[in-house]
Amino acid sequence: MSVEMRRPAQPATEGREEPTPQGAVPMWLFILLFVALFWGMNYFDRHGAWFNGRVYAPYRSLAELQMHQPPTGGINLERGRAVYESVCALCHGVDGKGKPGQAPPLAGAEWVLGPVNRLVRIPLAGLTGPIEVNGQQWNLAMPAMGAALSDEDLAAVLSYMRTSWGNKGTEVTAEQVGAVRKEIGNRTQPFTAAELLTVQ
Amino acid sequence: MVSPEAKAKAAAGAPAIDAGSAEETVSCRWPLLVLFLGAAGWLVAGSLLGLLASIKFHSPMFLAEPAWLTYGRVKAASAALLVYGFCVPTALGVGLWLMSRLGRVALAGPVVAGFGGGLLHAGVAVGLVGVLRGDGTGFLHLEFPAGAAGLVFLGYLLLGTVGVLTLYRRREARMEAAQWFVLAGLFWFGWIYSTANLCLLVFPVRGVAQAAINYWHTGNLLGVWMGLMGLGTVFALLPRLAGREPGREYVAMFVFWVLLLFGSWTGIPATAPLPAWMPALSTVGTVLSGLGVLGVAVIVHQTLAGRYGSVWRDERLRFLGLGVAAYVVGGVMQVVEALSGRSWMLHFTWFTAAREWMQVYGYLALVMFGTVYAIVPALVGVDWWSRRFLRLHFWLAGAGLLFVAAPLAAGGVVEAARLLNPALGFVEVSRGTLMFLRLSTIGELLILAGNGLFFVNLAGTVAGICRRALADALRRWGAETTGEGAAA
């Protein structure tokens, strides 16, 4: 018996029964296609970010991506901690307790929790001469460690100091830092404790 | 239990593909034999290299010394040989044959086709040497260096042109599903292979776009091109071998458009380092092309309803049937992989390897085995050199597929589950898959044995007709000389 590759000229009429209908597309396949298309639209809407080339896999939309960006306004305490640990912590300690003979403590210090205008002046221009912190006398010189920081970073690091290690102060804003920076102008001379006490 | 009548019928000989007109047969004979014989050789070489790679994965010291036998090179060479050495030439040969037989016309330019086949195999040989020398490209399914890829493409271009011209000259005006599937496949391969090689090797695009192009090419090659060539063959041969009328073209059209419209989006895993819209669209495309897979199941069921037994009694139909079953399983695995991508990283495990085995070997290679077994006797005019090898090949291929794909898939699921456990280190998770990999090596060994039988059987058959032709020529020459001697 051999199989003819050519298609028959007319339907074979041998009387052989065809148990299945000739090649109609079953309706359920079309229904399933439209269900899948509907699902696909929804899926793409939820995950595809509408062809935005800036949105990558774990994020689903530009809005979600922007939600995770670091805030541009307001105070970012995480940023403050990072700046503190890279700029201040070498002398004042990661725990803010200071180091004997090197730097006074910041935790619970009246100079940290006192008026903001007084505090901002210290990193901007430095501090020299005798000073009493937490009832203990210190006589050291601190350079102007914060002069090179931006207003936002300095505000963040000071806010971090005023709210960490048991300190319960208010946050410092970038505007407050900017105002003090303008007030002291090009001053290169470090402040003394007596001078600072006149600032309210 | 097989009924006595069925047994008697099977013994009387399963239906053979008719010889067709003499010119069709003669025009197809040598180009197709060049394609098939070379392909069978590459298949054996590729599965041997694949076996080496599989062993190295759990026994790293095995043949670790020579650089050209290191894992990265043999694995890449084996993948390239399986796809470009075996699947591409065999599918092209079968495609040309379908164009000629279904259009009832001789092949347009058999010499060009034979030359194209030779060029294709030469490109694969150059590419193999290149990959083993360490000049592989590092792109999956595009392993050959640019020069070899150019040769492969030139050979393909000649073969594809012959295919399109043969269709153009057909005597049978109406086309059937197999013809549009193969026609689309001929254009599709030219498009994706040239685009991917140009954008990755000749004028490389920058950065992450390379990964996107590589994913796109792989998805189109495995999903669309292999789908078109293999399904076209199945739609033409399955009903005829099973003694049914060809037809069912509406469902075939549904499958065709689903494959072309949505299949081309597939291939990008959910966590690929690409803008989110690409993996999202790819996941949607994968699920939608799952409907094409369902359509294939519908066609096969409509064709074979009530005659599943006949599949079992005919070795060629067994190959085709198992191939289509692997197509459906592979398609389902791909949908599962795409949908699980966000929570379970299945695509990051051996599950992907199992799925590719299903699609490349389980589906396309098995369909091509069945087809080559069906058409070569008609081409050369003699039966296979060994019927026993043919039967044994099926069992080796089936068992090999089971032993490769099932452990890798199971290992992939276990691996994905353990990857979610933060207490386990990556090395520990990888070590947990070793037993599955050892099992898959057994499977690759069986597959290699089956492929060896295929090559020997094909070579034996071709050698048989060569010997017969030579004997005929000698006898004629002898008769002439004795005739002349008598006259003198």
Side-chain angles (χ1 to χ4, degrees), chain B residues 49-316:
Chain B
L49 290 171
L51 181 68
L52 292 187
S54 176
I55 293 174
K56 279 159 181 287
F57 219 92
H58 46 78
S59 315
M61 295 315 286
F62 176 72
L63 291 181
E65 207 47 35
W68 64 279
L69 281 179
T70 44
Y71 179 80
R73 297 192 193 174
V74 291
K75 182 74 189 169
S78 133
L81 284 186
L82 186 56
V83 171
Y84 294 101
F86 178 73
C87 289
V88 170
T90 323
L92 282 174
V94 169
L96 293 189
W97 182 79
L98 286 173
M99 289 303 197
S100 158
R101 295 309 305 282
L102 296 178
R104 289 203 294 132
V105 66
L107 206 59
V111 179
V112 178
F115 184 66
L119 216 54
L120 188 66
H121 286 316
V124 173
V126 174
L128 173 65
V129 172
V131 170
L132 290 181
R133 264 170 49 99
D135 295 335
T137 62
F139 293 111
L140 184 63
H141 294 311
L142 288 165
E143 292 86 354
F144 289 159
L151 276 179
V152 168
F153 185 71
L154 268 184
Y156 156 77
L157 216 55
L158 294 179
L159 289 161
T161 311
V162 169
V164 174
L165 277 181
T166 309
L167 180 73
Y168 178 72
R169 289 185 186 169
R170 70 192 185 277
R171 294 210 196 101
E172 183 79 50
R174 233 190 112 211
M175 283 167 71
E176 66 175 88
Q179 284 160 300
W180 9 289
F181 271 74
V182 171
L183 180 69
L186 290 179
F187 282 106
W188 211 269
F189 184 82
W191 173 43
I192 61 170
Y193 196 59
S194 60
T195 307
N197 274 297
L198 283 177
C199 293
L200 291 177
L201 304 183
V202 185
F203 310 108
V205 295
R206 290 198 302 171
V208 81
Q210 292 190 350
I213 290 174
N214 194 10
Y215 285 134
W216 168 81
H217 173 262
T218 303
N220 275 274
L221 181 76
L222 298 192
V224 183
W225 183 77
M226 289 193 177
L228 288 170
M229 300 304 281
L231 291 179
T233 311
V234 169
F235 294 161
L237 283 183
L238 200 61
R240 291 179 164 101
L241 287 175
R244 281 279 163 84
E245 311 265 323
R248 290 145 192 105
E249 299 195 337
Y250 295 107
V251 193
M253 194 173 282
F254 178 87
V255 172
F256 182 78
W257 287 113
V258 164
L259 212 56
L260 256 55
L261 289 178
F262 305 124
S264 48
W265 304 355
T266 60
I268 302 180
T271 52
L274 295 170
W277 66 267
M278 294 172 132
L281 209 54
S282 184
T283 303
V284 173
T286 307
V287 172
L288 286 171
S289 23
L291 292 168
V293 174
L294 281 183
V296 172
V298 167
I299 294 178
V300 171
H301 180 69
Q302 284 182 347
T303 309
L304 294 180
R307 286 202 190 187
Y308 282 105
S310 68
V311 175
W312 196 242
R313 285 190 291 276
D314 182 335
E315 293 94 0
R316 302 157 304 172

Side-chain angles (χ1 to χ4, degrees), chain A residues 22-184:
Chain A
Q22 267 283 340
V25 184
M27 210 52 217
W28 57 265
L29 208 52
F30 275 114
I31 294 172
L32 220 55
L33 176 67
F34 285 105
V35 170
L37 278 171
F38 181 75
W39 169 86
M41 280 183 344
N42 276 300
Y43 182 90
F44 185 76
D45 188 43
R46 272 181 287 118
H47 298 286
W50 284 99
F51 301 104
N52 191 312
R54 286 162 61 200
V55 183
Y56 277 65
Y59 302 105
R60 295 154 173 214
S61 65
L62 196 60
E64 191 190 343
L65 182 68
Q66 274 159 353
M67 218 170 69
H68 288 85
Q69 292 292 324
T72 43
I75 292 304
N76 184 343
L77 290 178
E78 272 307 303
R79 175 80 192 145
R81 181 225 274 282
V83 175
Y84 179 83
E85 283 174 0
S86 65
V87 179
C88 322
L90 199 62
C91 299
H92 290 287
V94 180
D95 51 4
K97 293 219 174 79
K99 288 188 182 153
Q102 203 174 343
L106 302 174
E110 59 272 38
W111 298 93
V112 173
L113 292 166
V116 170
N117 284 346
R118 196 180 285 170
L119 171 64
V120 174
R121 280 176 159 75
I122 304 175
L124 275 182
L127 179 66
T128 187
I131 185 168
E132 188 182 315
V133 183
N134 290 354
Q136 203 183 338
Q137 280 294 329
W138 298 77
N139 194 350
L140 294 161
M142 167 178 157
M145 295 298 290
L149 295 176
S150 68
D151 290 354
E152 285 77 16
D153 280 357
L154 193 51
V157 75
L158 293 178
S159 303
Y160 174 70
M161 287 176 193
R162 283 162 68 89
T163 54
S164 307
W165 321 300
N167 288 353
K168 299 254 184 311
T170 52
E171 288 183 346
V172 180
T173 66
E175 288 74 35
Q176 286 173 310
V177 174
V180 174
R181 203 193 285 270
K182 201 179 266 175
E183 219 175 289
I184 62 173

